[in-house]
Amino acid sequence: MNDIAPTIQPELKAARNKAIEFHNQSLTSVGHDRMLAYRLLCSSVTVDPGLASGWSGLGNALADLHMLPASIAAFRRTLELPIGNLPGDLTLDLHVKALINLAHRLLNVGRIEEALEVNAKVLQLLESDPDLDPEGSAFAWTNMSLILSIMGLDEDAIDYAERA
């Protein structure tokens, strides 16, 4: 991510840049030291609570550490942020990815009805704009397949799995 636009206040710009630095450091740590990645992402959102990429990354790091309720909270926080155009802001693509991850984590903790609702929302978004995160659509279809299989709707689950 690049330096943010010079039009924002210098103290906010400095905080965002530092938060992005923590976020970027976490990306190099994920495969080697999950706890370090988690700590760096915590630092990123502490320094700049509006850093959507930091919250989303934190949601993934928490899931990696098997802290699923906290992961769900981080993805919810990501989705509360406004869409913006500065580096680290919530984008439509990141919004979709956060929804997919939220649905999956809700599924992981057994909140099937809520997972179904969130996943249906993300599938609607993906179908309305096929260029939107084409990689993520496979995950959304897989989530739906898993949800439907748990609900005992095996034929529908197979249809979604094949589509994924």
Side-chain angles (χ1 to χ4, degrees):
M1 291 184 205
N2 299 333
D3 192 31
I4 63 170
T7 57
I8 93 182
Q9 297 172 346
E11 61 276 358
L12 295 177
K13 180 181 176 184
R16 175 60 61 103
N17 286 336
K18 188 63 179 172
I20 289 171
E21 184 181 321
F22 286 134
H23 176 269
N24 289 343
Q25 288 173 1
S26 78
L27 297 176
T28 62
S29 302
V30 170
H32 308 290
D33 187 342
R34 290 179 179 172
M35 188 56 73
L36 177 59
Y38 162 74
R39 289 178 180 147
L40 287 164
L41 288 161
C42 285
S43 295
S44 76
V45 298
T46 299
V47 170
D48 183 351
L51 189 74
S53 59
W55 284 108
S56 181
L58 183 58
N60 287 319
L62 288 161
D64 288 346
L65 294 170
H66 308 287
M67 298 180 185
L68 297 178
S71 174
I72 289 167
F75 287 121
R76 288 191 195 285
R77 177 63 184 130
T78 304
L79 294 164
E80 290 172 354
L81 295 169
I83 301 273
N85 57 4
L86 297 176
D89 279 355
L90 186 64
T91 62
L92 195 50
D93 251 3
L94 185 56
H95 180 85
V96 167
K97 288 176 184 176
L99 281 170
I100 292 168
N101 280 305
L102 175 60
H104 192 70
R105 301 309 166 211
L106 289 166
L107 173 64
N108 291 153
V109 298
R111 292 165 63 180
I112 307 306
E113 293 297 324
E114 192 175 358
L116 177 65
E117 183 180 312
V118 171
N119 207 72
K121 181 178 180 180
V122 77
L123 285 175
Q124 249 182 347
L125 285 170
L126 289 167
E127 287 175 351
S128 70
D129 185 354
D131 293 330
L132 191 60
D133 190 26
E135 183 180 293
S137 63
F139 292 112
W141 291 114
T142 301
N143 278 346
M144 189 60 83
S145 175
L146 293 168
I147 292 165
L148 294 174
S149 71
I150 290 169
M151 296 173 75
L153 302 169
D154 295 336
E155 288 182 30
D156 291 335
I158 289 169
D159 289 342
Y160 279 95
E162 288 173 349
R163 191 162 182 185

